[in-house]
Amino acid sequence: MAKEAKTKNAPSKVTAELLAQSLVEVNLLANADGEGEKVELRYNASIDTPEKLESDKYYFRCNFSVSKRKVEAEEDVQSVVAIYACILQHPSDDLVKVKETAKKYAATSAWNAFASLFALVTHQMRTSFPPLPASPGGIASSGRGSFDHDDVNDKSETV
């Protein structure tokens, strides 16, 4: 019995784990898409640089967008943009390792939340977007700090 009590009181090792994820911003654009006109679809999936909160906790934002634009036009006709705020527990102080782990969670947990939101929104908007893939082609780095409040489309990279 003493052995059992000893293991229960032993400090646990910190592992990488997504502690929180919350949708914090949604932007929709729903103009008429001009039936029959050629359009380009653009997808963006990125994370902002994780910021340390506590000894092993980091805050980062996941930025996702899907837009439709007439060929050779400069303005989107329709789009769905979402930002998710996340808190990641990670044992390392190495920001490169933390960022890679954050990208993995963005490509799985946050992407799945966005894909569900996207399906619901596009159905309600009655748009002709194709369904999103099970996972994004990759997660880019936005170049922004997670506490910066720039518009998600200002520095987005197409994936």
Side-chain angles (χ1 to χ4, degrees), residues 95-114:
L95 193 55
V96 173
K97 288 181 182 177
V98 172
K99 189 184 268 189
E100 286 307 309
T101 302
K103 285 182 177 184
K104 287 177 186 172
Y105 281 109
T108 54
S109 180
W111 177 261
N112 287 333
F114 176 67

Side-chain angles (χ1 to χ4, degrees), residues 33 35 68 78 120-129:
D33 67 352
E35 288 288 321
K68 189 185 295 186
Q78 297 173 338
L120 178 67
V121 167
T122 56
H123 175 73
Q124 292 295 318
M125 290 170 47
R126 300 189 198 300
T127 62
S128 57
F129 280 107

Side-chain angles (χ1 to χ4, degrees), residues 28-159:
L28 306 174
L29 176 63
N31 295 324
D33 67 352
E35 288 288 321
E37 293 186 48
K38 289 187 177 184
V39 294
E40 296 176 338
L41 293 176
R42 295 172 180 252
Y43 299 87
N44 176 60
S46 66
I47 65 165
D48 296 339
T49 303
E51 304 277 351
K52 194 167 196 165
L53 298 174
E54 295 177 11
S55 62
D56 62 351
K57 293 179 181 61
Y58 295 84
Y59 169 80
F60 67 98
R61 294 186 313 173
C62 301
N63 312 293
F64 300 112
S65 67
V66 178
S67 62
K68 189 185 295 186
R69 179 180 289 189
K70 291 179 184 174
V71 175
E72 298 183 25
E74 293 188 23
E75 298 279 326
D76 292 337
V77 204
Q78 297 173 338
S79 67
V80 178
V81 178
I83 299 173
Y84 291 85
C86 300
I87 297 178
L88 174 68
Q89 179 176 333
H90 200 285
S92 179
D93 284 332
D94 182 353
L95 193 55
V96 173
K97 288 181 182 177
V98 172
K99 189 184 268 189
E100 286 307 309
T101 302
K103 285 182 177 184
K104 287 177 186 172
Y105 281 109
T108 54
S109 180
W111 177 261
N112 287 333
F114 176 67
S116 295
L117 173 70
F118 179 80
L120 178 67
V121 167
T122 56
H123 175 73
Q124 292 295 318
M125 290 170 47
R126 300 189 198 300
T127 62
S128 57
F129 280 107
L132 292 178
S135 63
I139 302 289
S141 294
S142 69
R144 293 183 299 269
S146 289
F147 293 125
D148 295 345
H149 295 287
D150 295 341
D151 181 13
V152 71
N153 289 321
D154 285 350
K155 297 178 185 174
S156 66
E157 298 175 24
T158 303
V159 177

